[in-house]
Amino acid sequence: MPNLLITGGAGFIGANFVHHWAKANPADTLIVLDALTYAGNPANLDGLEGVELVHGDIRDTDLATNLLRDRQIDRIVHFAAESHVDRSIAGPDAFVDTNVIGTHSLLKAARKVWLDEGSGRAHRFHHISTDEVYGTLSLTDPAFTEDTPYAPNSPYSASKAGSDHLVRAYHHTYGLDTVTTNCSNNYGPYQFPEKLIPLFIINALHGRPLPIYGDGMQIRDWLYVEDHCTGIALALTKGRAGVTYNIGGGAELPNLTVIETLCAAIDKAFAADETLAARFPDAPAAKGQPTATLKTHVTDRPGHDRRYAIDETKARTELGYQAAHGFEARFAETLHWYLNNESWWRAVLSGEYRDWIAKQYG
């Protein structure tokens, strides 16, 4: 039975993967290593039995080495990363520290235990990355493939590009069994409310502005997190060593379309459930007004990529990956989750993020 070390497993995508893997493989040993910074939340792992949470930093090479050796880990699934572009613009140092130095720390630990000490254990280092490493596309450019040259445009994407290159180098130089997946924009349960969808849901429920960068026509491929977890599991178990796979959601949409979908869904939810008006009296929908009245265009952020698009042909043909549902159905599930897990996001908002959102949006 495999023994997995899941870094960043108390964060958004990591926690969803822990739930996904534990459900499909209940006999496996799952150890989560997480620094529990602002986006890491032990509550994301509630309801899981037999999952061990280790509070620690991936930059602590000795800690990682001891975990790999003592727990006989044979698979690392590496989610731990700083991931919000706006934060990387304001403070890039943390992104280099975690995403580049932290990934290198894990690679050193893996090389030492799996290769240098000659344990002979079959192993795999699965690195989770982003489509943002490829840069931006025009409206007529073909979608990103695994052979698209890297051209990162933010400190965040540059730091992820650096970590991708390190993973590739450790495979080609030392023979470490690695696989990398580059995903598109994720959404779903447990997402920290700094990203567009949870931020706008919560802002709308409180009657706060929905700040739209520029004209709102930045295009992204939207990937429901459970579909992403399916793709990760396939690459972890079936992917070829040293190979990269792009994981997409098949839903290439402008941000403005996503926001309009969100506004309409909130209006529909309030119309169907009279209790929502009592729970969220400041929401326009509680007063019979359209949520869309909260839309506010603001100055675009520096270096904002215009379009991302994923060509997932390799993942589909080699791994059998396919996103299960379209955007509207999965978004409806996401909204339902946030409406039914108010205690979760209120606890998140009571921490650092409350001050951050006040500073950003008033």
Side-chain angles (χ1 to χ4, degrees), residues 335-351:
L335 174 60
H336 181 78
W337 188 89
Y338 279 92
L339 290 175
N340 284 280
N341 288 274
E342 181 182 353
S343 61
W344 179 87
W345 53 260
R346 285 203 183 278
V348 169
L349 291 175
S350 68

Side-chain angles (χ1 to χ4, degrees), residues 29-288:
T29 298
L30 303 181
I31 299 172
V32 170
L33 175 61
D34 201 297
L36 299 180
T37 56
Y38 75 95
N41 187 347
N44 294 351
L45 302 174
D46 285 352
L48 291 170
E49 295 183 3
V51 175
E52 180 183 355
L53 174 60
V54 177
H55 182 199
D57 196 313
I58 58 172
R59 294 172 297 174
D60 186 341
T61 309
D62 289 340
L63 171 62
T65 300
N66 291 333
L67 284 172
L68 293 178
R69 183 190 295 119
D70 298 344
R71 310 301 176 84
Q72 297 186 313
I73 300 295
D74 47 30
R75 299 180 187 181
I76 295 174
V77 190
H78 176 36
F79 294 95
E82 296 284 348
S83 66
H84 189 43
V85 174
D86 285 359
R87 286 180 180 267
S88 81
I89 293 170
D93 288 3
F95 288 74
V96 175
D97 286 345
T98 298
N99 300 351
V100 179
I101 297 173
T103 299
H104 190 219
S105 171
L106 282 174
L107 288 165
K108 289 190 294 182
R111 177 192 172 196
K112 180 175 182 179
V113 174
W114 288 341
L115 300 180
D116 294 349
E117 294 181 358
S119 68
R121 291 179 68 88
H123 65 270
R124 169 145 289 181
F125 187 112
H126 186 153
H127 175 58
I128 313 300
S129 191
T130 172
D131 59 357
E132 296 188 43
V133 298
Y134 300 123
T136 189
L137 297 169
S138 73
L139 291 177
T140 58
D141 284 335
F144 299 132
T145 71
E146 292 81 358
D147 295 323
T148 300
Y150 276 31
N153 290 320
S154 71
Y156 161 60
S157 56
S159 67
K160 290 298 290 184
S163 64
D164 291 5
H165 291 319
L166 283 168
V167 172
R168 173 184 170 86
Y170 265 68
H171 171 71
H172 286 276
T173 301
Y174 305 114
L176 197 70
D177 185 329
T178 67
V179 67
T180 296
T181 49
N182 294 80
C183 68
S184 53
N185 274 35
N186 279 229
Y187 67 99
Y190 302 112
Q191 188 168 28
F192 188 78
E194 65 185 352
K195 300 298 179 72
L196 189 152
I197 286 177
L199 171 64
F200 277 35
I201 289 173
I202 294 170
N203 275 12
L205 295 177
H206 289 87
R208 298 177 183 141
L210 306 181
I212 303 167
Y213 282 130
D215 62 5
M217 295 305 293
Q218 303 87 0
I219 295 172
R220 302 292 183 260
D221 175 37
W222 291 90
L223 172 62
Y224 188 62
V225 67
E226 179 65 18
D227 289 329
H228 186 195
C229 291
T230 297
I232 293 168
L234 288 168
L236 180 64
T237 56
K238 297 182 178 181
R240 292 182 288 126
V243 173
T244 294
Y245 297 93
N246 286 346
I247 306 295
E252 191 178 336
L253 298 169
N255 285 347
L256 199 56
T257 298
V258 173
I259 295 163
E260 289 168 350
T261 300
L262 182 151
C263 291
I266 290 176
D267 291 345
K268 182 178 180 180
F270 272 73
D273 183 354
E274 295 180 355
T275 67
L276 291 177
R279 289 170 58 194
F280 306 107
D282 294 326
K287 307 166 188 175

